[in-house]
Amino acid sequence: MAKIPAGVGPRFPQVVILVGATGDLSRRKLIPGLLHLTRAGFIPGARVVGVSLDDFGADGFRTFARAAVDEFCTRKVTEEEWATFAAATDYVSLKSGPAALASAVDRAEKAVGAESRRLHYLSVPPSAALDAVRMLGEAGLVANSRIIMEKPFGMDLASAVALNAKLHEVFKEEQIFRIDHFLGKEPAQNILAFRFANGLFEPIWNRNFIDHVQIDVPETLGLGKRTAFYESTGAYRDMVVTHLFQILGFVAMEAPTHLSPRAISEEKVKVFRSMLPIQPADVVRGQYIGYRSEEGVSPESDTETFIALKCDIDNWRWAGVPFYLRTGKKLAEGQRIISIAFREPPKSMFPADSGIGQQGPDHLTFDLADAAKTSLSFYGKRPGPGMKLDKHSLQFAMRDTAQIGDVLEAYERLILDAMRGDHTLFTTAEGIERLWEVSQPLIESPPAVKAYPAGSWGPNAIHQLVAPHAWRLPFERVWRDPNTQGS
């Protein structure tokens, strides 16, 4: 195993209290992620205490965890590695109460045999979060701890303020880590490096050179067993406030004074303060045909499974530059794209039939999927006589580097950051409350949902929303495969 660089992992051994340990997120991401972080040496002396409603004993939970690892772990696990991890796990049923949980954590801390810290991960529905927080307080597990909260963080401004107030009765703000797994992805973090480490792009990252920005996260999947949750949430609360707006913050922020959590959080919050309220006239809400027939869905449901919107950042850098956001279920493709469209030259010397402008403006595109790709498109001369122009692109994929094997999955990175007390990739109370504040006009007067066929790009009204521009997806060209000869 490669040596872990200093400062990457936490200073102290960690006792992870995983609340909701038998849920879907835990099974798919958290248990495999904790196994990788411990066996790779990122977390010294880690212990895991699972907490859930199931009547498992410790052995039953280990059987559950082993099945999760076998199904979802993306890295090969040896029997020795599994045995070491399993021996460091324990389980407490929620029905046993705070005292039983406190005893299990005490056993784990004694087993560590050194000074340790606690990390509480609340992998529970929003309706159960405050009950879990109260239980942790009653068990006396607040000191020397940090807590990771899953989205959504409230349903509107009033509920977000109330939620934060209740949280702060038990945990201090610096102990709270509101997670957005989009920001844990390597390509999302690479936006900061791309912008602020390169003299080529930062000087043109403003209203003088950028025409508009698109953040586009369509999904091909439906809702599965999440319909009951989704009925009370919808695409806007589920995806835009907690994911797309956070990405927007990275794209639009000013340069922080230094690369520290507080400095970066301050700049993101400044972006949110500068956002104008979201107007219902600038929003298209959609619902895929057949949604109302899903189990647990009202036959008259007005819940959106799709949303596209225009928002504006009213500050010196971005005044007049529209930001278009789109996401939804059962769409034509699954993508996670940021597209920066540059302004076209003020005057063209090229003849009308040269092809200039026919494939849209130049774009800088970030693919936030796990493959992590970046593309810069531009016009160039077509070889041969005359002056015909074609669209070309410079492309980079993370797999082009020798470090592709070092990439941590999003939840792994964020768990590690929370253990280290690094808030860079997490949302603050002020930030989330401000986003609900700008959302109020839309929440109070949402436009009617428009039906769209599964497998499409959403309601037709999205084209009027973005006009005179066009949606970047679907792409006019495919990403090149760097493993293909002659690409």
Side-chain angles (χ1 to χ4, degrees):
M1 205 58 80
K3 183 179 179 181
I4 305 301
V8 172
R11 291 176 53 205
F12 299 99
Q14 301 285 315
V15 174
V16 180
I17 296 90
L18 183 53
V19 184
T22 59
D24 190 60
L25 176 62
S26 178
R27 187 169 62 97
R28 291 175 175 272
K29 295 293 184 181
L30 305 182
I31 291 173
L34 287 167
L35 170 58
H36 173 64
L37 291 174
T38 54
R39 71 180 183 141
F42 285 104
I43 313 172
R47 312 284 296 190
V48 178
V49 179
V51 184
S52 191
L53 286 169
D54 292 288
D55 288 322
F56 287 159
D59 288 339
F61 177 61
R62 289 170 189 140
T63 300
F64 172 88
R66 179 58 193 259
V69 168
D70 289 343
E71 185 174 0
F72 295 108
C73 195
T74 57
R75 306 168 179 96
K76 184 176 176 58
V77 179
T78 68
E79 287 301 319
E80 181 181 1
E81 289 169 338
W82 165 252
T84 301
F85 180 75
T89 63
D90 199 353
Y91 183 82
V92 177
S93 171
L94 280 169
K95 301 170 187 176
S96 301
L101 176 58
S103 296
V105 173
D106 183 59
R107 289 195 301 271
E109 291 175 341
K110 287 178 179 176
V112 169
E115 184 180 359
S116 61
R117 296 290 183 269
R118 302 163 186 153
L119 178 72
H120 307 298
Y121 197 120
L122 302 194
S123 179
V124 297
S127 58
L130 286 179
D131 288 338
V133 168
R134 280 191 289 268
M135 179 190 66
L136 294 171
E138 291 169 3
L141 300 176
V142 175
N144 294 325
S145 74
R146 298 181 175 110
I147 182 169
I148 296 179
M149 306 285 296
E150 277 287 340
K151 68 175 180 71
F153 317 111
M155 302 296 284
D156 53 24
L157 178 58
S159 61
V161 170
L163 174 61
N164 284 327
K166 291 292 186 182
L167 280 174
H168 292 154
E169 289 177 4
V170 182
F171 290 93
K172 298 176 182 178
E173 176 64 19
E174 57 264 30
Q175 292 178 280
I176 302 170
F177 292 76
R178 299 168 186 82
I179 196 168
D180 171 17
H181 73 271
F182 270 43
L183 295 188
K185 293 180 177 295
E186 197 79 23
Q189 299 162 51
N190 197 41
I191 295 171
L192 295 180
F194 197 93
R195 283 192 59 189
F196 301 124
N198 296 295
L200 176 62
F201 292 103
E202 181 55 24
I204 60 172
W205 208 266
N206 56 59
R207 69 186 189 282
N208 295 321
F209 299 96
I210 292 177
D211 184 75
H212 66 278
V213 177
Q214 293 182 26
I215 302 175
D216 211 350
V217 186
E219 298 180 276
T220 58
L221 298 176
L223 293 167
K225 298 179 180 179
R226 297 179 69 227
T227 49
F229 162 78
Y230 213 80
E231 262 293 88
S232 62
T233 308
Y236 184 79
R237 291 179 171 93
D238 184 46
M239 289 290 293
V240 177
V241 176
T242 50
H243 291 324
L244 273 63
F245 280 160
Q246 303 303 321
I247 294 292
L248 181 149
F250 267 18
V251 172
M253 64 187 282
E254 297 295 323
T257 52
H258 46 86
L259 195 65
S260 70
R262 181 179 294 275
I264 292 174
S265 291
E266 285 175 352
E267 296 305 332
K268 279 180 60 185
V269 170
K270 286 180 184 177
V271 173
F272 301 152
R273 290 190 197 124
S274 300
M275 288 175 61
L276 297 178
I278 306 300
Q279 299 303 318
D282 293 330
V283 178
V284 175
R285 296 170 70 237
Q287 187 184 89
Y288 65 76
I289 297 172
Y291 172 74
R292 294 178 182 178
S293 301
E294 302 266 10
E295 183 179 354
V297 175
S298 167
E300 298 178 352
S301 173
D302 189 51
T303 299
E304 78 278 358
T305 62
F306 169 97
I307 193 157
L309 60 99
K310 178 176 78 75
C311 62
D312 297 286
I313 302 172
D314 192 25
N315 63 16
W316 192 267
R317 181 182 291 264
W318 294 111
V321 178
F323 284 70
Y324 298 101
L325 281 57
R326 176 174 64 170
T327 187
K329 302 292 185 183
K330 290 197 174 183
L331 296 177
E333 294 179 21
Q335 296 274 7
R336 294 170 182 172
I337 295 294
I338 302 171
S339 281
I340 314 293
F342 293 101
R343 294 192 182 279
E344 297 187 53
K347 185 174 178 61
S348 176
M349 65 181 183
F350 299 98
D353 64 349
S354 66
I356 185 71
Q358 290 182 3
Q359 295 187 55
D362 299 338
H363 281 88
L364 175 64
T365 303
F366 297 92
D367 183 343
L368 301 187
D370 293 333
K373 293 172 284 192
T374 304
S375 171
L376 178 63
S377 68
F378 56 93
Y379 285 96
K381 183 184 178 301
R382 183 186 304 171
M387 181 56 75
K388 296 290 184 180
L389 304 179
D390 288 324
K391 204 72 175 288
H392 305 290
S393 65
L394 300 173
Q395 296 185 5
F396 165 79
M398 192 180 297
R399 58 188 169 186
D400 294 338
T401 75
Q403 289 79 38
I404 185 62
D406 296 337
V407 174
L408 292 177
E409 292 191 2
Y411 282 99
E412 296 170 353
R413 167 64 190 266
L414 293 169
I415 288 171
L416 204 60
D417 282 356
M419 289 177 172
R420 295 170 53 237
D422 186 337
H423 278 89
T424 303
L425 304 177
F426 295 86
T427 306
T428 64
E430 181 184 358
I432 198 67
E433 289 176 12
R434 172 57 184 166
L435 291 175
W436 284 122
E437 185 179 3
V438 302
S439 301
Q440 281 303 102
L442 173 61
I443 291 172
E444 292 172 358
S445 303
V449 294
K450 301 177 183 294
Y452 65 93
S456 70
W457 284 102
N460 288 332
I462 62 171
H463 302 297
Q464 286 76 50
L465 174 69
V466 78
H469 315 296
W471 289 102
R472 180 73 164 141
L473 289 175
F475 281 137
E476 71 274 9
R477 69 179 61 76
V478 297
W479 290 94
R480 287 196 299 271
D481 184 349
N483 297 319
T484 301
Q485 294 294 323
S487 61

